[in-house]
């Protein structure tokens, strides 16, 4: 908010995906507190291919920023159809979860996400840290390019294994739940911390630092 001072914001989101819907609703609900206006709040469903109706509505509301909350397949189609409708370049694009840092997104949108903004828990795939270098090398041997979700998946497995060790059981679900709820772990690409007692469950990683990134190329930001 301080850096970009958004005033007129539109959101287009996948209503079938809980995480995407939740963040879209959070952005909507924080509008008055943060000092911007939601001028359009449009939804679609996974596997949709035509977003021109929603984008036409959004175009008519004259936003400065558009939040695109979609997986790669639908999100890249949205960006490509923004180009068709003359929105690209006139409206700044943002999203969460580091989605634009996935090289596949760049490929599917033919590089049209250049300049887009997203945020995610901080990590660096080019880090010289030995474990990160090994994970990246292992992924590329598939061959498969690692993405932000590769890191999240690896962290999730590390947290689960750590919880099993502290629970001293691989079969007792209740012990596992309570152990996982009190995780303090130096994992791949950062710290994983959960503080989730049964009286106040909370699934957020409280150990991560969030960074905002601008996409500059297929694998650069």
């Amino acid at each position: 908010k301080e850096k970009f001072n958004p005033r007129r914001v539109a959101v287009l989101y996948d209503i079938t995906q809980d995480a995407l819907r939740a963040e879209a609703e959070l952005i909507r609900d924080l509008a008055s507190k943060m000092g911007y206006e939601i001028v359009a709040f449009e939804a679609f469903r996974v596997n949709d291919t035509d977003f021109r109706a929603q984008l036409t509505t959004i175009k008519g509301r004259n936003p400065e920023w558009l939040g695109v909350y979609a997986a790669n397949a639908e999100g890249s189609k949205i960006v490509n159809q923004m180009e068709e409708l003359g929105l690209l370049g006139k409206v700044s694009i943002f999203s969460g979860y580091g989605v634009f840092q996935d090289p596949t997104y760049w490929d599917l949108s033919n590089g049209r996400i250049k300049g887009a903004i997203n945020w995610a828990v901080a990590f660096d795939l080019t880090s010289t840290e030995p474990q990160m270098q090994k994970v990246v090398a292992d992924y590329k041997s598939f061959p498969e390019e690692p993405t932000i979700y590769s890191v999240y998946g690896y962290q999730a497995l590390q947290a689960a294994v750590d919880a099993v060790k502290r629970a001293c059981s691989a079969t007792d679900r209740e012990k596992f739940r309570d152990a996982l709820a009190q995780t303090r772990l130096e994992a791949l690409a950062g710290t994983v911390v959960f503080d989730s007692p049964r009286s106040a469950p909370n699934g957020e990683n409280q150990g991560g630092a969030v960074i905002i990134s601008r996409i500059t190329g297929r694998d650069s930001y």
Side-chain angles (χ1 to χ4, degrees), residues 1-32:
K1 176 66 167 62
E2 292 175 359
K3 183 172 180 61
F4 300 109
N5 192 30
R7 292 167 296 176
R8 296 177 60 80
V9 178
V11 178
L12 179 55
Y13 70 101
D14 184 346
I15 199 171
T16 66
Q17 301 293 333
D18 289 345
L20 300 178
R21 187 187 73 244
E23 187 159 319
E25 292 174 350
L26 182 66
I27 291 168
R28 178 197 63 193
D29 295 344
L30 285 173
S32 59

Side-chain angles (χ1 to χ4, degrees), residues 80-96:
N80 291 335
Q81 289 171 26
M82 286 179 68
E83 169 89 332
E84 292 178 23
L85 295 172
L87 276 168
L88 210 59
K90 296 180 180 179
V91 179
S92 299
I93 307 171
F94 72 89
S95 190

Side-chain angles (χ1 to χ4, degrees), residues 126-158:
T126 64
S127 169
T128 58
E129 196 274 324
Q131 189 176 32
M132 179 65 82
Q133 288 188 320
K134 182 179 187 306
V135 169
V136 169
D138 287 346
Y139 257 90
K140 290 182 177 180
S141 70
F142 285 157
E144 185 76 31
E145 293 186 80
T147 70
I148 188 170
Y149 299 106
S150 313
V151 175
Y152 290 163
Y154 199 100
Q155 286 184 335
L157 181 60
Q158 287 179 295

Side-chain angles (χ1 to χ4, degrees), residues 7-121:
R7 292 167 296 176
R8 296 177 60 80
V9 178
V11 178
L12 179 55
Y13 70 101
D14 184 346
I15 199 171
T16 66
Q17 301 293 333
D18 289 345
L20 300 178
R21 187 187 73 244
E23 187 159 319
E25 292 174 350
L26 182 66
I27 291 168
R28 178 197 63 193
D29 295 344
L30 285 173
S32 59
K33 178 180 179 180
M34 298 300 296
Y36 55 85
E37 178 187 3
I38 296 294
V39 297
F41 194 71
E42 297 289 315
F44 66 91
R45 292 184 174 276
V46 68
N47 296 324
D48 284 354
T49 58
D50 190 342
F51 309 93
R52 294 175 182 84
Q54 295 97 322
L55 289 172
T56 298
T57 297
I58 289 168
K59 183 178 181 179
R61 305 288 172 79
N62 194 31
E64 299 168 315
W65 289 83
L66 171 60
V68 178
Y69 280 84
N72 292 12
E74 290 81 17
S76 58
K77 290 184 175 69
I78 289 170
V79 173
N80 291 335
Q81 289 171 26
M82 286 179 68
E83 169 89 332
E84 292 178 23
L85 295 172
L87 276 168
L88 210 59
K90 296 180 180 179
V91 179
S92 299
I93 307 171
F94 72 89
S95 190
Y97 306 100
V99 292
F100 296 143
Q101 289 162 243
D102 187 335
T104 304
Y105 214 126
W106 177 274
D107 295 342
L108 292 173
S109 67
N110 296 307
R112 293 188 177 101
I113 58 170
K114 185 175 182 179
I117 298 291
N118 64 191
W119 49 79
V121 174

